[in-house]
Amino acid sequence: MGAFTYTDLIEVNLGKLDAAAGDWKTMAGGLEKLRSDVYSGLVQLSDGAQWAGVNAGVTKDFVRMTAKEVWDLHREAESISSVLQDAHSELTRIQKRAKDLTGEARKGGPNSTDEPDPGLLVMDGPNGTVKVMEAICDVKGTSQRTKDLMQWYADTLTGLVAHAAEIDAAVSRALKRSHGGDPNNAGHATYTSLDEDQLPRATKLASLGDDATGAQRAELRRLWQSLSPQARAELWAGHKDDLLAAGLLTPTAKRAAPDRGSGPHGVEEPGAEERRTREKMNVIAELADWKGDNDASRHMAHYLGNSGEDMDLPVDKMMTDDPGFRSHIEDDIRERQDEWREQALAEFKRNGGQPVSMPVETENRDYSFQKEENKNWFYAVGSTRSNVTGVVTVVPDANGEPKVGLDYQANAWDRYNWDKDKGVTIEIPGAPSMSIPDGQMARLHTTGIAQEFDMAGSSSVKHYDLGTSAPNGDPLPKPDEPGREGGRTDPGREQQEGR
């Protein structure tokens, strides 16, 4: 049998699985009644019979063995029913998500403010992967935003296919262990859910820590989504640091360039004007560094370095430097914290007061740095997309009352580009300002002597108490202080090529 595919996920009839789970639930109910009848009737009559001898001993042993087989059959039926119900719930969720994303990709974004996002085609790729491409070729070429969207849809859908295949494999293992392969012996492994199969695997992957491969980390993040709230709490309590190291809080929100950008890289030959602009921008980058706008300088130097490699965003520093951005992140949490708290408390109650954990994530929200407030980040980033990811955990205190906590991080991402209508002016103390006209910066990219790049980062993970019997209204924790000044005399500062 070949690899589980996107088409398999989209087209599989999960109604049959639901019907099978229902049949096994009915079977378990019937066997439970039979087990009760056997133990309250046959076994008690046999054990209480006033007779002795060889026949009595053989008969009583046979009755007890028969009763145990009924007991084992009941447990096996319950185990199979639980596994199938869990699988149906998980696969239904995954299939719905895949169908929703497929419909979203095909529709595109006709109402986008700048220019519409094109409709995309989704199809099977090799070895269980998903391929996404434009439905209609764009005469202007495929924009960077469209490329990002195609990659995000392909990666996300491929992850859903892998997740479904892992659920299928887990169900297969659980059913085999429940049955045991011996038609004459029903006494084998029992399951209350797929947790009994998936939690040991998640624990093993988490224990790898930094040694886990990219594929193993991705599998761990998928397992985290599938585990029950109680199993998640157990894993979180024992392997929190390992889970964070594996990227558990990596945002799943759609990440794409906000606009078309400058266009294709290196499609024109640079002229004297472009080379003069590049030299002028090198001077501006040095001046910005001298003035203390170190991040703006570093990003400009990376653009001029022409590598196109991704750069990390120091999100803690961004929140420390710009109070507006910090408020933007904190507002994101404040708007959702009561909802998260109530959901977690409901899970805690549903699980009989046992610890529970649930993943949380806010939607993507844009933030624009203001030149008047912070020139450094205005020129370094301009506008960024951001969200918050985290884990809400409820544990009982000494009196059994719930304590609700949130571990979270802020995430930001953007693409460093210069639109055709963007220029830059740098004030120079005691000298005329230095300006680059609109469009000149973008031409450095299209003529191949500078290159746009992606930048993304996450803050340090912070813990915030959401309260016990009442919500907590205390201030959220401050971001970590930047570890370095980042100035030109800092020997540890990241230096980019082209400086």
Side-chain angles (χ1 to χ4, degrees):
M1 180 179 177
F4 190 84
T5 67
Y6 163 77
T7 298
D8 292 333
L9 174 59
I10 294 296
E11 295 183 354
V12 64
N13 182 0
L14 294 175
K16 294 182 178 180
L17 179 59
D18 188 33
D23 289 343
W24 276 100
K25 185 176 182 179
T26 301
M27 174 71 75
L31 286 168
E32 182 177 24
K33 183 179 183 305
L34 179 59
R35 175 183 61 82
S36 178
D37 291 344
V38 166
Y39 275 91
S40 63
L42 188 59
V43 173
Q44 287 189 16
L45 287 171
S46 174
D47 288 346
Q50 299 298 316
W51 59 312
V54 176
N55 287 337
V58 170
T59 302
K60 289 182 178 181
D61 287 345
F62 175 78
V63 169
R64 293 191 190 98
M65 288 175 58
T66 302
K68 182 181 181 304
E69 281 299 299
V70 174
W71 174 278
D72 288 343
L73 286 168
H74 171 237
R75 294 173 66 218
E76 181 178 315
E78 278 195 325
S79 179
I80 293 173
S81 172
S82 297
V83 165
L84 293 181
Q85 287 182 69
D86 209 0
H88 178 261
S89 176
E90 279 294 289
L91 290 174
T92 298
R93 178 182 63 81
I94 293 170
Q95 185 186 63
K96 183 180 185 304
R97 176 67 171 156
K99 287 182 176 180
D100 288 347
L101 288 178
T102 298
E104 182 182 291
R106 288 173 177 169
K107 180 180 179 181
N111 299 321
S112 297
T113 53
D114 295 327
E115 64 178 76
D117 291 326
L120 304 173
L121 297 177
V122 182
M123 63 196 74
D124 285 314
N127 301 316
T129 61
V130 177
K131 183 178 180 181
V132 179
M133 59 188 296
E134 290 176 283
I136 301 175
C137 293
D138 189 335
V139 294
K140 293 186 288 186
T142 304
S143 71
Q144 184 61 48
R145 175 173 172 81
T146 300
K147 290 178 182 177
D148 289 347
L149 288 172
M150 289 192 296
Q151 190 64 56
W152 184 84
Y153 280 115
D155 290 345
T156 303
L157 286 166
T158 296
L160 290 172
V161 172
H163 197 171
E166 289 160 2
I167 296 291
D168 183 63
V171 172
S172 179
R173 289 191 298 268
L175 292 178
K176 287 179 180 178
R177 291 167 183 163
S178 294
H179 183 265
D182 185 351
N184 298 314
N185 181 5
H188 298 289
T190 58
Y191 293 79
T192 58
S193 72
L194 284 176
D195 282 346
E196 283 92 344
D197 179 271
Q198 294 175 314
L199 182 56
R201 173 63 177 167
T203 302
K204 181 178 179 181
L205 290 174
S207 65
L208 295 175
D210 290 337
D211 293 331
T213 65
Q216 289 170 330
R217 294 179 184 211
E219 182 185 354
L220 178 57
R221 292 194 292 269
R222 292 192 294 268
L223 284 166
W224 174 258
Q225 293 293 328
S226 282
L227 291 173
S228 69
Q230 195 168 340
R232 281 196 212 108
E234 181 180 337
L235 185 63
W236 182 253
H239 295 276
K240 175 181 175 179
D241 291 343
D242 293 329
L243 291 169
L244 294 176
L248 185 72
L249 300 187
T250 299
T252 64
K254 189 183 299 177
R255 287 180 285 179
D259 48 46
R260 174 174 285 275
S262 306
H265 176 254
V267 293
E268 302 176 58
E269 288 294 324
E273 183 67 24
E274 285 75 39
R275 298 188 188 281
R276 281 194 295 271
T277 298
R278 188 180 188 282
E279 291 308 310
K280 188 184 291 188
M281 287 312 304
N282 270 315
V283 173
I284 288 177
E286 291 291 341
L287 285 171
D289 200 12
W290 175 74
K291 291 174 62 178
D293 296 332
N294 312 119
D295 300 285
S297 171
R298 185 161 55 247
H299 289 189
M300 174 60 70
H302 191 60
Y303 178 68
L304 299 173
N306 201 23
S307 72
E309 295 178 357
D310 295 352
M311 280 194 72
D312 290 333
L313 283 177
V315 177
D316 281 301
K317 185 175 187 295
M318 292 164 67
M319 289 193 289
T320 300
D321 292 349
D322 193 286
F325 182 56
R326 179 181 170 185
S327 295
H328 172 80
I329 294 297
E330 292 184 349
D331 289 346
D332 216 8
I333 297 170
R334 291 298 189 196
E335 290 173 9
R336 299 292 301 277
Q337 69 178 67
D338 288 343
E339 176 189 350
W340 292 341
R341 183 175 181 277
E342 292 306 314
Q343 289 175 349
L345 285 171
E347 288 291 349
F348 179 77
K349 183 178 180 180
R350 192 176 297 118
N351 281 274
Q354 297 297 312
V356 294
S357 293
M358 69 177 203
V360 295
E361 181 171 9
T362 65
E363 295 180 354
N364 170 21
R365 295 174 60 199
D366 290 355
Y367 178 81
S368 295
F369 294 94
Q370 302 301 311
K371 182 179 178 181
E372 297 76 16
E373 300 295 330
N374 196 301
K375 287 185 179 180
N376 177 44
W377 289 110
F378 174 79
Y379 284 116
V381 173
S383 295
T384 183
R385 278 117 292 284
S386 67
N387 81 342
V388 174
T389 50
V391 175
V392 177
T393 298
V394 188
V395 297
D397 64 14
N399 299 316
E401 294 299 315
K403 293 173 56 179
V404 191
L406 167 67
D407 293 279
Y408 69 93
Q409 70 181 27
N411 310 292
W413 59 92
D414 192 26
R415 185 165 179 83
Y416 189 94
N417 60 35
W418 291 83
D419 295 338
K420 294 179 181 179
D421 60 347
K422 285 183 180 177
V424 60
T425 298
I426 299 294
E427 303 294 334
I428 305 174
S433 61
M434 185 176 290
S435 297
I436 303 295
D438 291 354
Q440 284 297 311
M441 288 299 296
R443 282 195 57 76
L444 299 187
H445 173 83
T446 57
T447 57
I449 56 176
Q451 191 168 173
E452 297 174 357
F453 57 90
D454 290 327
M455 44 189 176
S458 297
S459 71
S460 54
V461 177
K462 295 296 182 180
H463 180 83
Y464 180 65
D465 289 332
L466 294 179
T468 51
S469 58
N472 182 19
D474 292 342
L476 289 158
K478 294 180 180 180
D480 282 359
E481 291 293 330
R484 298 181 180 276
E485 291 300 320
R488 62 194 306 133
T489 59
D490 179 356
R493 186 180 62 150
E494 178 184 7
Q495 296 292 329
Q496 301 298 333
E497 58 184 315
R499 293 297 298 272

